[in-house]
Amino acid sequence: MYTKLLAYEIRSRLVADARSCGAFIAVIAVAAGIVAAGLPGISGSTAMLAYALCALTPAACTIAALADYWKTLYGQRGYFTMSLPISGRVIFWAKITRIVIECLLALALALAVGGILAVASAAAWSDGISLAEYTAGPRSVVAGMPTSTVVIMIAVQIVLSMSWIVQGCAVMSIGAEGRFNHLGFGAPIIGFVLLYIVNQVLSTVGTF
């Protein structure tokens, strides 16, 4: 049942995700073209804006996914969700899995596969240097670290980010329960405040 529900979740967001992906690719393609043209006063600012867009895209995807998750808990979509003859645990993890897949794809598209790599390649070509030379500065930050350490640091950061998504969805799910849903949006707000306090306490304890 989990697999079927996950497939439904992916299909339900496929058109919206494809539209967002297409818009992102179009913007990056235009930006890369402007950067490659080497237009004085324009190419540099365009590159900076493109880098900012790439950096913000995964965060925007996460916010949109969480907003969509919220909508599935209230109104007509909420009624449909609550009426499914499936355990709440299966519904929760199917939705979480779809959100994680979306966010990881957005991260890959923005940082590795498309966005930053495309703009950096265009900037390097415009400057008449190789991509390795163009990225020498940023890469020097981790040049003294073993590759395995860098990979572990990136993996830990990704896992930590995904855990925030799980926590956020869990808070919204608890707030949608019958004993709390009369509070409306106030329920998850209270939950997020309590979650923040708990995380801060755990972080403080972890420093000892």
Side-chain angles (χ1 to χ4, degrees):
M1 188 58 69
Y2 166 82
T3 304
K4 292 182 179 179
L5 185 57
L6 176 59
Y8 168 78
E9 286 289 327
I10 293 175
R11 287 196 304 269
S12 68
R13 293 285 301 171
L14 189 58
V15 175
D17 290 342
R19 188 182 298 117
S20 299
C21 180
F24 175 83
I25 293 174
V27 171
I28 291 300
V30 172
I34 295 174
V35 172
L39 302 175
I42 299 179
S43 294
S45 59
T46 299
M48 292 300 102
L49 290 174
Y51 290 143
L53 173 64
C54 293
L56 293 174
T57 293
C61 176
T62 301
I63 294 172
L66 291 176
D68 181 74
Y69 184 85
W70 167 262
K71 292 177 182 178
T72 64
L73 300 176
Y74 293 91
Q76 292 184 345
R77 294 181 64 185
Y79 179 80
F80 172 75
T81 300
M82 301 305 176
S83 65
L84 291 174
I86 310 172
S87 68
R89 184 182 295 107
V90 172
I91 296 174
F92 177 79
W93 286 112
K95 292 181 178 295
I96 288 293
T97 303
R98 189 263 300 169
I99 293 174
V100 168
I101 291 173
E102 282 184 342
C103 293
L104 290 178
L105 288 176
L107 181 64
L109 180 64
L111 302 182
V113 179
I116 289 181
L117 182 60
V119 176
S121 299
W125 184 84
S126 177
D127 293 341
I129 59 178
S130 66
L131 181 61
E133 293 174 309
Y134 181 80
T135 58
R139 288 188 293 108
S140 65
V141 177
V142 295
M145 299 181 185
T147 303
S148 58
T149 301
V150 176
V151 171
I152 291 174
M153 290 173 59
I154 294 174
V156 168
Q157 187 58 49
I158 292 175
V159 171
L160 179 61
S161 299
M162 295 303 106
S163 72
W164 292 340
I165 293 175
V166 174
Q167 293 175 45
C169 291
V171 167
M172 287 188 284
S173 296
I174 294 173
E177 293 183 356
R179 50 183 173 174
F180 300 122
N181 63 6
H182 67 280
L183 297 174
F185 195 66
I189 291 297
I190 295 173
F192 282 125
V193 172
L194 294 176
L195 178 63
Y196 174 78
I197 294 174
V198 170
N199 283 335
Q200 290 301 309
V201 170
L202 293 177
S203 298
T204 303
V205 172
T207 59
F208 292 106

